[in-house]
Amino acid sequence: MTKRLPPSEEGITRAAALLRAGALVAIPTETVYGLAGDASNGEAVAAIFDAKGRPSFNPLICHVDSMEAAQRYGVFGDAAARLAQAFWPGPLTLVVPRRESARLSPLVSAGLPSLALRIPAHPVARRLLASFGGALAAPSANPSGKISPTTSAHVLAGLEGRIAAVLDAGPCAVGVESTIVDCTGETPVLLRPGGLPAEALEQALGQPLARPQSAVNEVNPSAPGQLSSHYAPGKPLRLNPRTLPPDALWLGFGLGCEGATLNLSPSADLREAAANLFTMLHTLDAAPGAAIAVAPIPNHGLGQAINDRLTRAAAPR
Ligand code: TXA
Ligand code: MG
């Protein structure tokens, strides 16, 4: 049985104790719920891969509560330091060279010489990290390849009985995962569009972000997003179909979608759409209907992250 803990002082203390004992706890962040384990404990990290059924080559993000902690584990060059200063705590993950002295399980970064770090902004995540006192490895709290969870109900639908507890702080505000920037080379590279728009990062850096060589790299994915089919609902998903397939559910965006089953944002607000995305995909996946058709989403700001997730959800499996 998976325990449901409240976001009170007592709930947070119990979650921290479970984590220190090597157990897995799903935790709220401002982006999506994370499946957390002690990043210094190899068995706990292995249990994360196991609970998710995740391919072992896919490294995890380490969550910390301060820049001092981040610097204990990773080496921050100019670009990484500038981005951390501008956007942490927040929905940004920085991939940096891993410090040799970092006392973390090598499994956290799947044996890579780099490390993905993030300081989340969610107050409950921050209090938990402070109470736990170390780094928490946490991928999104969903079975591998499935839709990311933005509520504790989503977490339990996928992982009930496989994890010790879920710390329930209600729905996540951002609703898509963090933006991932690789700062290990000369030019920072946008590995995954996410909750922080690329435009904001480029403005803080004063230079454009590089894009990965190829958007789809099945052989050696360095971000999950690079597996072509990912974030997939059970039903087939079609993007912007010219005609609505019979028996399809329709996920709208903006005006002109009056007949839609659900609308990501009737007022065409990308922030609202991002926050609704995974919840609505979960709902449509569970509803009667043969397929899901999605209205076009503008491809700027958070629209890039939304379209990235939708393209993968629609990819051939
Ligand atoms: O918003 C988020 O980022 C959520 C919350 C829980 O923080 N977490 C999340 O984790 O989305 P996950 O594991 O589903 O996606 C993180 C991805 C990994 O799949 C991996 O491909 C990439 O980050 N990553 C981690 N370490 C990396 C590294 N050393 N080099 C390149 N990519 C890395
Ligand atoms: Mg994920």
Side-chain angles (χ1 to χ4, degrees):
M1 266 292 282
T2 299
K3 279 194 208 85
R4 210 184 251 262
L5 300 173
S8 59
E9 225 30 72
E10 197 204 326
I12 290 171
T13 305
R14 285 182 66 191
L18 284 167
L19 288 162
R20 273 193 294 274
L24 303 186
V25 178
I27 63 165
T29 82
E30 72 277 26
T31 57
V32 299
Y33 274 76
L35 175 51
D38 179 352
S40 69
N41 176 338
E43 282 180 33
V45 177
I48 295 176
F49 287 95
D50 191 38
K52 281 185 66 89
R54 160 174 266 197
S56 58
F57 51 69
N58 216 346
L60 307 178
I61 297 172
C62 283
H63 298 70
V64 294
D65 71 342
S66 68
M67 192 61 201
E68 292 67 51
Q71 280 171 327
R72 269 205 301 280
Y73 303 122
V75 181
F76 285 70
D78 288 349
R82 185 179 288 215
L83 292 177
Q85 160 90 41
F87 300 108
W88 276 355
L92 171 68
T93 294
L94 297 172
V95 175
V96 296
R98 179 182 164 128
R99 247 182 231 292
E100 283 198 21
S101 58
R103 288 174 48 181
L104 298 173
S105 160
L107 200 53
V108 164
S109 42
L112 295 171
S114 57
L115 187 65
L117 286 162
R118 171 158 114 82
I119 303 182
H122 197 294
V124 174
R126 302 294 300 282
R127 277 155 62 203
L128 175 67
L129 281 163
S131 168
F132 173 71
L136 288 174
S140 49
N142 52 289
S144 189
K146 299 286 194 259
I147 307 169
S148 292
T150 52
T151 65
S152 64
H154 296 159
V155 173
L156 291 171
L159 297 172
E160 167 74 66
R162 302 183 68 102
I163 59 176
V166 54
L167 187 55
D168 185 356
C172 304
V174 176
V176 291
E177 296 91 339
S178 59
T179 302
I180 305 182
V181 178
D182 182 347
C183 296
T184 58
E186 293 257 304
T187 312
V189 181
L190 179 69
L191 291 183
R192 176 176 77 179
L196 188 64
E199 292 89 335
L201 293 161
E202 291 177 331
Q203 195 167 19
L205 281 170
Q207 73 177 104
L209 291 163
R211 312 286 150 147
Q213 302 292 49
S214 106
V216 176
N217 182 345
E218 302 273 1
V219 182
N220 183 21
S222 57
Q226 298 187 24
L227 293 167
S228 57
S229 169
H230 205 79
Y231 311 102
K235 294 187 172 89
L237 187 139
R238 305 234 153 61
L239 299 181
N240 195 16
R242 235 175 281 159
T243 56
L244 212 53
D247 203 17
L249 301 163
W250 181 19
L251 183 57
F253 176 84
L255 294 172
C257 294
E258 279 69 30
T261 321
L262 292 172
N263 194 318
L264 286 167
S265 169
S267 64
D269 175 344
L270 287 167
R271 202 173 273 198
E272 180 184 34
N276 283 333
L277 179 66
F278 290 132
T279 303
M280 291 190 174
L281 286 176
H282 275 289
T283 304
L284 294 179
D285 210 22
I292 302 171
V294 189
I297 315 286
N299 203 34
H300 58 81
L302 283 178
Q304 283 185 44
I306 297 172
N307 282 317
D308 175 80
R309 304 304 184 273
L310 285 171
T311 309
R312 286 170 213 293
R317 307 181 189 155

